[in-house]
Amino acid sequence: MPKTIDNDVYPIKQTFGADTAAEEGAAFFANVVSESTANPRMLIIHECMGRDSGYLTAASAKKYRDIVRSQKFPTALASNASTRDIHAIWIPELPVDIEKEGVRLKKIMDENGNVNIFLSEGSGVHDIVAEMKAKGETVPTDAFGHVSLAKINPGQYFAKRLSELIGAEKCLVQKSGYFARAAPSNEYDRTLINKCAKTAVESAIASVSGCMGEDEDVEGTPIRAIEFERIKGGKPFNKDQAWFNKMLTEIGQI
């Protein structure tokens, strides 16, 4: 049974816990965003889990923007739909031109007095590593040879670089990862788990082994016992999906 909030398993359409984590990440930021009015020219970076996949960041952003759209804001208050919206979504599947984004986001900062960014923890890692190497610094790695995200800290890196570019007076980097992945399953995930469990029992009775999930390579993406040799991690988020590009267009990123 596949369980990862990164939703990055081939050829499974949706892994257990991913939708729940996105929902919790949205709820997390719905509270954190209130800090945008605590200081003039505030930059808030919401760092989501996702070393190689931007699914959780993108899905959390979509669900959060649904929350904002459902709210009504008194015209007399400084906090409104624009100040509480997301102004940038940075994921590993898309390059981050920090200088270009700095110009765009400074205009938003000047107008709103704050900027909110959703950032995948793996975003911009190649750029950060290249900069460290150019400076002759040692790039920290873990036991598997992967760049240690905890030590290079992409959130803090971008916070420092962007704060300078947009003239932020204060910056908060808030990580929702452990909060989001520790939550009990939502209705969507409970339904998915139930369907996969029933298929697992049927498959076991029929002496068919495999990993239960919605098979993307089969027409209709049926829930079935997917052959183990076809299961592998590292599936990137599909950045070309219509809903994602619509969101990027709405916030002015593309």
Side-chain angles (χ1 to χ4, degrees), residues 22 26 56-66 86 89 118 247:
L56 183 59
T57 302
S60 296
K62 183 177 185 299
K63 289 179 182 292
Y64 170 72
R65 296 190 78 235
D66 287 341
I86 301 168
I89 302 169
F118 272 44
M247 183 163 60

Side-chain angles (χ1 to χ4, degrees), residues 90 96-106 131 157-158 161-162 164-166:
W90 295 345
V96 178
D97 186 333
I98 191 69
E99 297 289 339
K100 183 178 179 180
E101 279 288 81
V103 173
R104 180 180 73 85
L105 295 172
K106 186 177 186 302
E131 184 174 298
Y157 170 85
F158 281 115
R161 291 280 282 114
L162 193 60
E164 297 170 352
L165 293 171
I166 67 176

Side-chain angles (χ1 to χ4, degrees), residues 82-136:
S82 180
T83 63
R84 297 179 79 87
D85 201 356
I86 301 168
H87 306 116
I89 302 169
W90 295 345
I91 61 175
E93 291 82 359
L94 291 174
V96 178
D97 186 333
I98 191 69
E99 297 289 339
K100 183 178 179 180
E101 279 288 81
V103 173
R104 180 180 73 85
L105 295 172
K106 186 177 186 302
K107 294 178 181 178
I108 295 175
M109 177 65 86
D110 292 342
E111 181 178 340
N112 286 348
N114 75 291
V115 167
N116 305 316
I117 297 175
F118 272 44
L119 170 76
S120 290
E121 64 180 351
S123 296
V125 170
H126 295 301
D127 296 324
I128 298 172
V129 168
E131 184 174 298
M132 292 180 69
K133 289 182 177 179
K135 292 179 179 179

Side-chain angles (χ1 to χ4, degrees), residues 7-254:
N7 195 31
D8 62 348
V9 179
Y10 288 106
I12 296 173
K13 180 181 178 181
Q14 188 77 18
T15 54
F16 302 160
D19 190 77
T20 297
E23 191 172 273
E24 293 294 323
F28 174 90
F29 195 72
N31 287 340
V32 170
V33 74
S34 295
E35 291 295 317
S36 63
T37 60
N39 199 84
R41 302 187 72 82
M42 174 75 84
L43 169 62
I44 302 180
I45 296 179
H46 175 201
E47 187 175 330
C48 303
M49 285 186 170
R51 170 185 285 274
D52 299 307
S53 171
Y55 165 82
L56 183 59
T57 302
S60 296
K62 183 177 185 299
K63 289 179 182 292
Y64 170 72
R65 296 190 78 235
D66 287 341
I67 293 174
V68 174
R69 280 194 290 263
S70 71
Q71 297 173 329
K72 294 183 179 180
F73 301 94
T75 55
L77 297 182
S79 183
N80 54 54
S82 180
T83 63
R84 297 179 79 87
D85 201 356
I86 301 168
H87 306 116
I89 302 169
W90 295 345
I91 61 175
E93 291 82 359
L94 291 174
V96 178
D97 186 333
I98 191 69
E99 297 289 339
K100 183 178 179 180
E101 279 288 81
V103 173
R104 180 180 73 85
L105 295 172
K106 186 177 186 302
K107 294 178 181 178
I108 295 175
M109 177 65 86
D110 292 342
E111 181 178 340
N112 286 348
N114 75 291
V115 167
N116 305 316
I117 297 175
F118 272 44
L119 170 76
S120 290
E121 64 180 351
S123 296
V125 170
H126 295 301
D127 296 324
I128 298 172
V129 168
E131 184 174 298
M132 292 180 69
K133 289 182 177 179
K135 292 179 179 179
E137 299 176 2
T138 300
V139 179
T141 58
D142 60 23
F144 302 99
H146 300 139
V147 174
S148 177
L149 297 181
K151 292 182 180 179
I152 67 169
N153 206 332
Q156 291 297 336
Y157 170 85
F158 281 115
K160 181 180 179 180
R161 291 280 282 114
L162 193 60
S163 289
E164 297 170 352
L165 293 171
I166 67 176
E169 293 184 12
K170 186 175 181 179
C171 179
L172 295 179
V173 178
Q174 298 291 300
K175 301 182 180 184
S176 63
Y178 293 113
F179 173 87
R181 78 177 187 181
S185 299
N186 64 9
E187 184 177 353
Y188 176 93
D189 275 318
R190 289 196 301 272
T191 299
L192 179 61
I193 292 168
N194 184 268
K195 290 178 179 178
C196 287
K198 288 181 178 178
T199 300
V201 172
E202 294 169 356
S203 298
I205 292 173
S207 298
V208 176
S209 61
C211 184
M212 303 302 139
E214 300 166 291
D215 193 337
E216 290 185 307
D217 293 341
V218 177
E219 186 176 354
T221 60
I223 293 176
R224 58 182 298 273
I226 303 172
E227 296 76 15
F228 286 123
E229 60 269 20
R230 294 175 54 220
I231 300 294
K232 63 178 181 178
K235 183 179 76 172
F237 169 67
N238 181 5
K239 60 181 176 57
D240 297 320
Q241 293 179 85
W243 67 265
F244 180 63
N245 281 277
K246 180 175 182 290
M247 183 163 60
L248 294 185
T249 300
E250 290 173 348
I251 67 174
Q253 190 167 323
I254 60 174

